[in-house]
């Protein structure tokens, strides 16, 4: 792949955005490559966790303005739908995802962060929706995800002002899980990924599905959704191993196909 670096080790796949000449901006080719990498990871039973990060000082600097500038309205619709569908695929895929936000996460990069499960920010990471300064609105569903993450009033402030926020403020808003000093950043990311990779992949996928299905329903509906996913665990190899390890007072060893 030209614009992605894909590395796999011990059940963890790291996908690094590699387009340094454009600060890792997303264009159609990057989206195509990312879609292929995500589908490969989804189909690979040896991949238990996906980590996304950027090369250099940028995570993803946004969508590629130069490419967008050459498009017609109908072409922009196709481009936006392509990115939105891919981000939704990442958001709903059974495998857990981590955004290791190493630098700029602007526009489409901010939107990408919002579609991942866990977000760990470098102390110098920053976030911004600059679209209003360009006379447009976000196109990869940032207007839908940001209010659910930070609340409507804060989302409107960030969208309407285009204000840049830094890692600590983003953490206070709940955009990222935590902020890590530079010298500890990658170790913290990989430690989290390894902890997840050691757990039951089937249980994590079902827990993720239960939370997604219950997000926008009442607790009374959600409790029955959870019940269905919980009972689905029983009889699986991971459930049998988990219970056996508890009774035998040892650490569970889950399958790593």
């Amino acid at each position: 792949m030209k614009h992605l670096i894909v590395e796999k080790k011990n059940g963890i796949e790291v996908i690094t955005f590699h387009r340094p000449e454009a600060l890792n901006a997303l264009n159609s080719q990057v989206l195509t490559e990312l879609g292929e990498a995500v589908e490969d990871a989804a189909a690979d039973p040896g991949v238990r966790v996906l980590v996304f990060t950027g090369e250099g000082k940028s995570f993803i600097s946004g969508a590629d303005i130069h490419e967008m500038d050459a498009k017609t309205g109908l072409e922009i619709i196709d481009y936006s739908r392509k990115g939105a569908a891919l981000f939704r695929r990442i958001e709903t895929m059974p495998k857990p995802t981590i955004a290791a936000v190493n630098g700029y996460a602007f526009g489409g990069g901010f939107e990408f962060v919002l579609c991942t499960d866990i977000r760990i920010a470098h102390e110098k990471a920053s976030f911004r929706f600059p679209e209003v300064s360009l006379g447009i609105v976000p196109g990869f569903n940032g207007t839908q995800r940001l209010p659910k993450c930070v609340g409507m009033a804060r989302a409107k402030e960030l969208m309407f002002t285009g204000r840049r926020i830094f890692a600590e403020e983003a953490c206070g808003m709940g955009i990222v899980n935590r902020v890590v000093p530079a010298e500890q950043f990658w170790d913290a990311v990989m430690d989290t990924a390894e902890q997840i990779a050691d757990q039951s992949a089937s249980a994590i996928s079902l827990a993720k599905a239960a939370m997604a299905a219950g997000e926008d329903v009442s607790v009374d509906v959600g409790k029955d959704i959870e019940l269905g996913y919980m009972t689905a665990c029983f009889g699986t190899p991971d459930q049998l191993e988990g219970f056996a390890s508890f009774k035998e007072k040892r650490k569970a060893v889950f399958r790593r196909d």
Side-chain angles (χ1 to χ4, degrees), residues 79-81 83-84 111 131 137-143:
Y79 173 72
S80 179
R81 284 177 172 167
E111 291 176 291
E131 282 82 354
V137 300
F140 296 154
N141 300 150
T143 60

Side-chain angles (χ1 to χ4, degrees), residues 108-221:
F110 198 163
E111 291 176 291
F112 185 90
V113 170
L114 293 173
C115 80
T116 59
D117 295 320
I118 297 170
R119 303 109 186 223
I120 301 174
H122 186 287
E123 62 184 352
K124 293 186 178 180
S126 59
F127 305 80
R128 185 184 177 213
F129 275 109
E131 282 82 354
V132 294
S133 69
L134 299 168
I136 60 175
V137 300
F140 296 154
N141 300 150
T143 60
Q144 305 306 301
R145 289 192 180 95
L146 187 62
K148 292 181 179 180
C149 181
V150 303
M152 188 62 76
R154 279 179 167 171
K156 287 179 178 178
E157 178 194 356
L158 293 177
M159 290 278 182
F160 296 172
T161 65
R163 182 169 69 88
R164 181 181 178 185
I165 62 172
F166 292 87
E168 289 292 350
E169 185 175 2
C171 188
M173 291 183 178
I175 294 167
V176 298
N177 294 72
R178 63 184 183 276
V179 180
V180 182
E183 63 275 10
Q184 301 168 17
F185 176 67
W186 195 248
D187 286 343
V189 170
M190 294 309 292
D191 181 64
T192 300
E194 288 164 4
Q195 289 182 56
I196 295 170
D198 281 344
Q199 308 306 319
S200 162
S202 60
I204 288 173
S205 68
L206 291 172
K208 181 173 177 175
M211 285 187 278
E215 184 177 15
D216 296 318
V217 301
S218 69
V219 173
D220 286 333
V221 174

Side-chain angles (χ1 to χ4, degrees), residues 15-16 47 57 75 84-85 89 96 101 139 157 164 166 184 188-189 194 200 202 210 231 239-240 244-245:
I15 297 176
T16 303
V47 175
K57 64 182 180 180
E75 289 170 336
R89 170 62 171 140
V101 190
E157 178 194 356
R164 181 181 178 185
F166 292 87
Q184 301 168 17
V189 170
E194 288 164 4
S200 162
S202 60
T231 56
Q239 180 268 317
L240 297 173
S245 68

Side-chain angles (χ1 to χ4, degrees), residues 1-9 11-19 24 26 29-44 47-56 58-60 86-87 89-91 93 95-103 109 112-113 115-116 118 120 185-186 189-190 193:
M1 292 186 175
K2 183 178 179 180
H3 296 310
L4 297 180
I5 299 170
V6 179
E7 301 168 288
K8 302 179 186 181
K9 185 178 180 180
I12 300 166
E13 179 167 316
V14 178
I15 297 176
T16 303
F17 294 99
H18 169 66
R19 197 178 173 223
N24 303 328
L26 300 173
Q29 185 174 355
V30 176
L31 292 176
T32 296
E33 291 182 14
L34 181 59
E36 293 171 356
V38 166
E39 292 306 324
D40 287 346
D44 185 347
V47 175
R48 301 168 72 87
V49 186
L50 275 77
V51 177
F52 299 95
T53 195
E55 184 177 47
S58 180
F59 178 70
I60 300 171
L86 175 55
F87 285 19
R89 170 62 171 140
I90 292 167
E91 184 175 41
M93 69 185 301
K95 298 183 180 185
T97 59
I98 299 173
V101 190
N102 57 296
F112 185 90
V113 170
C115 80
T116 59
I118 297 170
I120 301 174
F185 176 67
W186 195 248
V189 170
M190 294 309 292

